[in-house]
Each structure stands twice: as structure tokens, then as C-alpha cells.
Amino acid sequence: MSSPLAIGAVSAVLRNLLDNGLIDAGAAMGGPVSVTAAAPDTIDLEAANFTPRLNLFLYHVTPNTGWSNCALPSRSAVNGERLTNAPLALDLHYLLTAYAPADFQAEILLGYAMHLLHERPVLDRAAIRRALTLGPIDTSLMPPAFQALIASDLADQAEQIKITPAAQSSDEMSKLWSAIQSKYRPSSAYQVSVVLIEGKRPAILPLPVLTRGKRIPGTERDEGVAVTPDIVPPVPTLFAARPDKEQIGARIGETVTIDGIRLAGTGHVVRLAHRLLAAPFEIAPTSVAADGTLVTFALPTTAAALSGLAAGQLSASIRFTPAGGTNPQDTNAVPLVISPEPTLPPVSVVRQGGPQPRVEATLAARPQVRPEQDATLLLDGFAASAEPRTTAAAPLVFRFPNALPAATYWARLRVDGTDSILVDRSNPVPVFDPSQQIVVP
């Protein structure tokens, strides 16, 4: 793949191709011809020493549709690690313009240039290397921008560079020259495709496959790919994580049931991952169904869980050794919402006077709210954000305006968009949980 220098390298190679091809056209032009790659509005046509010129202008860059879905996705859906460096595939659109002070010179010059590009519709790798290295010439004498293009790796990309004439209507050409804000001159448009730019950041590449299944004793072969005569996934797969009582999220101490298939085995460990956790939090399940379709576990109430877990959306996966297997495997991950649970009644709710009167509520939550998380306390329709903290163990402080009337409010603690559970769904008819109230004096 090429580097980000590839766009400039294509312009340099095309200019070199035109420059070399027009050397023999000097007699027809009545003198030397210069080939440039500048914006048309920067060309001074009134200069005293103006000579015939051929200008190559890159006026537009578009994504290449053929490579748009190549090497995707580039990141893991579980933890966001980079899997592949997806290439940036681009088509370059050039405007080839001829300038000359005498009659017919511009037309002759444009004809020579178009014929050159017609005869060289593909920039082969050898031509690209020659154009960017200049053979025995000391490249240190060249401008710094050209010296940088030598490292573009354009000649080593997967696809070759193809040059195609692009038909433009008079309306499109008129709009283009109006945008350039320059006087129109005989021109021809070209599309150059495709430039593949790839990042150099480290990616995760899997190791080669050693065997496809167990070795067959007495032979050098393996069992191959296992085939199952049904429509369910052939490997251990999780479908969903369901909190208790059909709630929107699970609270500390509550039970969670994971639905899946082919989960029978030994050594089950539920792994909960969150963007703020350096490593997944592991929980031993309380039960595993004999048919391998259900795994049940409870969110622990230990101090390690209160400080190690985080409220919000997590991903749940299971690591275990399948029945008949010898090595542990990891399943896919499914979303699991852990709802914050405020300690009610709060530590204190006071109405403060002074130059800035306000109502201040202080409380804690399970699991602990980390300083990097957004926390909001909602009292009916009133909301206040938590004051900044430095540690997760510090209490949450919310300051409401003094206009908050004295009353009893339904309380909701929202952490990273996840609300505490206010609705009790244990009965056929849902009701508000009377324990989730705060009295404002």
C-alpha cells in the first residue's frame, strides 16, 4: 500500500511523463515547453517571459467505490482493538490545460499531451520508480517536497495507476472554471485510479492455523471442520443477557440469565467488560443448564465488585471448556446493562442560604461511580449534574437551584445514560418503587 504521500507522487509522475514526452515537441511549439502542476489562477499569462505551458491541476478527489468495503471492519467489536489497516482508496481528477501566446500553439500542445496519455493509459511500476528517483541525479538537489515523494511507496501498492479520459459537459466545465476563478483555456479532464493509502499503525494479526480439530491417532491428518446437521450455530454462542424481573438493567446482588447454545462444559467464568475496566471482571456462575442453553450468575455484593464493576452498558462473554474439549474457549459477547443503585435516603439533603442559595443532595451509589463517568440526579423533572470528584469512593454531590420546592420527589440516578431502576415490575401492574424517593426540606 501507499503512504499519504501517494497523491503528490501521482501528480509528480504524471508531470514527469508529460515533460519527457513533450521534449520532441519543442520545434512544433517554436521553443521550449514547460510542464507544471499548479493552480490555474496562479499562472501569470501577462508575464513578459511567458512561454508555452502545459499545466496539470488536481481539482477533485473522490472515494473509490470498488475498494470502499475492503478490509472492514478495521476494529474489534469487543474491545475496539485494531484488526486491519483498511486502505483509503481514492480516485484523482485532473484538469490538463494548454497555454500559449500564439495562434494554434495551445491546440497543438494539448493534442500532443492527450496523445501521450492515450498511449500510456497505465503507469507501470518501473515508470513510477524512474520518475520518483531520477536515476543517477542527486535527489538532494531537488526541492524538499519532491524528496519526500520518494518515500510514497506508490510503485508497491496492490493496484496499478490507470489514466482514463473523463467526459465533462459544457455546464460542468463552466462551473469548474468559475470555481477556479481563472480565464478558460483549452482543457481536457482525466480520472486517475486507484490510489491506495494505508496506515502503518500496529494491527492484530492472527497466527497461522496449526490444525483443524484433533489429530487422528496414527496419521498425520486432523479431524477437519466439524459439521452439525441443524440450523443453530456450530460453536458456543450467546444470544442475550436477561436481568431479573424483566428490568431494563441488573443491580448489584441481582441475578442475570444468559441465553445461548452449546454452553455445556466445565470451568465456566462470566467475563464482564467495560470501557473503563483495564481487564474483564470475572464472576463464577451459579448454575449452568445441562442442555447448555442457560447460564445464570449473580452480580456480587463484595467490596471488590462495588469498586471493580461500573454502571452502564457492559459486554458479557463466557470462558469455559466445552464438553469433550481440552482447551478453554471464549464465546461471543452480548450487551448487559448494570443499573446504578443510589443509597436512599441520601446522606444529606440541605437547603443552603448565602449569596448562592441552593439545594444540595449528597449520596453514594452501587457500584461506585467513577470520576470519568457522567452522573445526573433527577428529582421528578428537575436535574442536576454531579460535582467533579477525584476518586470513585467519594460521595456524589448534586446542587439544585434554590427554586426547587420543598416536596417528596421520585429519584433517578443516571450514569452514562443508564438510569437507576424506578419502576417495580415484580407485579402484573408496574408501579413506582416507593423506596426511590427523596424528601427536599
Side-chain angles (χ1 to χ4, degrees):
M1 296 291 178
S2 303
S3 73
L5 299 169
I7 296 178
V10 171
S11 298
V13 173
L14 290 176
R15 189 185 70 171
N16 180 269
L17 171 64
L18 295 170
D19 197 15
N20 292 338
L22 290 174
I23 291 178
D24 296 334
M29 296 296 101
V33 176
S34 60
V35 180
T36 58
D41 60 320
T42 63
I43 299 176
D44 186 6
L45 302 179
E46 306 298 331
N49 58 348
F50 182 77
T51 58
R53 171 184 295 195
L54 188 67
N55 187 66
L56 187 70
F57 174 53
L58 175 65
Y59 70 90
H60 194 38
V61 179
T62 58
N64 180 271
T65 56
W67 281 79
S68 59
N69 293 327
C70 179
L72 296 178
S74 59
R75 292 188 179 274
S76 168
V78 178
N79 49 22
E81 292 180 333
R82 182 181 287 260
L83 298 178
T84 59
N85 288 315
L88 173 62
L90 301 174
D91 292 336
L92 310 184
H93 302 265
Y94 286 93
L95 190 66
L96 185 64
T97 308
Y99 299 87
D103 294 346
F104 312 124
Q105 283 185 323
E107 290 85 344
I108 295 173
L109 181 58
L110 185 61
Y112 269 101
M114 294 180 67
H115 183 259
L116 283 171
L117 297 181
H118 174 74
E119 293 295 319
R120 293 290 297 275
V122 177
L123 297 179
D124 58 87
R125 305 185 193 281
I128 294 174
R129 292 190 178 96
R130 286 196 302 268
L132 295 180
T133 57
L134 297 181
I137 297 179
D138 185 2
T139 56
S140 63
L141 302 178
M142 303 301 295
F146 184 86
Q147 297 180 39
L149 297 181
I150 299 175
S152 65
D153 297 329
L154 182 63
D156 300 321
Q157 72 171 29
E159 281 206 27
Q160 291 184 310
I161 305 297
K162 296 171 285 292
I163 306 172
T164 307
Q168 285 192 323
S169 65
S170 58
D171 181 62
E172 292 173 333
M173 190 65 75
S174 175
K175 291 180 179 179
L176 176 59
W177 281 93
S178 297
I180 296 174
Q181 297 184 352
S182 181
K183 295 181 179 180
Y184 175 78
R185 291 295 184 273
S187 305
S188 179
Y190 287 87
Q191 175 178 307
V192 179
S193 177
V194 56
V195 175
L196 300 174
I197 300 176
E198 185 178 35
K200 302 298 184 182
R201 295 183 60 183
I204 297 178
L205 298 177
L207 294 173
V209 176
L210 297 179
T211 61
R212 297 176 300 168
K214 297 179 182 179
R215 285 284 185 179
I216 300 176
T219 69
E220 296 299 326
R221 298 186 302 169
D222 51 48
E223 292 182 346
V225 179
V227 178
T228 55
D230 49 39
I231 61 174
V232 299
V235 296
T237 304
L238 306 186
F239 297 146
R242 296 183 287 105
D244 195 17
K245 301 176 183 178
E246 298 183 356
Q247 294 284 8
I248 59 174
R251 291 176 291 194
I252 294 296
E254 294 183 342
T255 299
V256 177
T257 301
I258 297 180
D259 298 323
I261 194 71
R262 306 190 192 281
L263 301 179
T266 59
H268 292 75
V269 176
V270 178
R271 296 161 56 86
L272 303 182
H274 187 272
R275 63 182 179 87
L276 297 178
L277 301 183
F281 190 89
E282 298 186 345
I283 303 173
T286 55
S287 65
V288 178
D291 60 358
T293 59
L294 295 177
V295 174
T296 304
F297 70 97
L299 294 175
T301 58
T302 61
L306 296 181
S307 60
L309 289 172
Q313 180 166 311
L314 295 84
S315 60
S317 61
I318 300 177
R319 173 174 292 177
F320 73 107
T321 301
T326 57
N327 298 319
Q329 295 185 10
D330 288 319
T331 67
N332 62 303
V334 293
L336 171 64
V337 174
I338 294 183
S339 297
E341 184 180 4
T343 56
L344 298 178
V347 174
S348 65
V349 178
V350 296
R351 190 180 296 273
Q352 298 179 345
Q356 294 183 341
R358 58 179 179 262
V359 175
E360 186 173 283
T362 304
L363 52 84
R366 303 193 317 170
Q368 293 177 352
V369 179
R370 298 168 184 263
E372 301 88 349
Q373 294 183 291
D374 295 327
T376 303
L377 180 62
L378 295 94
L379 301 180
D380 287 1
F382 300 93
S385 298
E387 296 296 312
R389 300 176 303 140
T390 57
T391 63
L396 297 166
V397 178
F398 303 91
R399 292 171 178 169
F400 293 86
N402 192 47
L404 184 66
T408 300
Y409 295 90
W410 297 106
R412 287 171 292 163
L413 177 61
R414 179 173 296 168
V415 178
D416 283 352
T418 300
D419 286 0
S420 59
I421 297 178
L422 177 61
V423 179
D424 183 2
R425 302 181 185 275
S426 59
N427 298 313
V429 179
V431 296
F432 287 137
D433 185 352
S435 66
Q436 304 298 302
Q437 290 181 303
I438 287 182
V439 178
V440 176

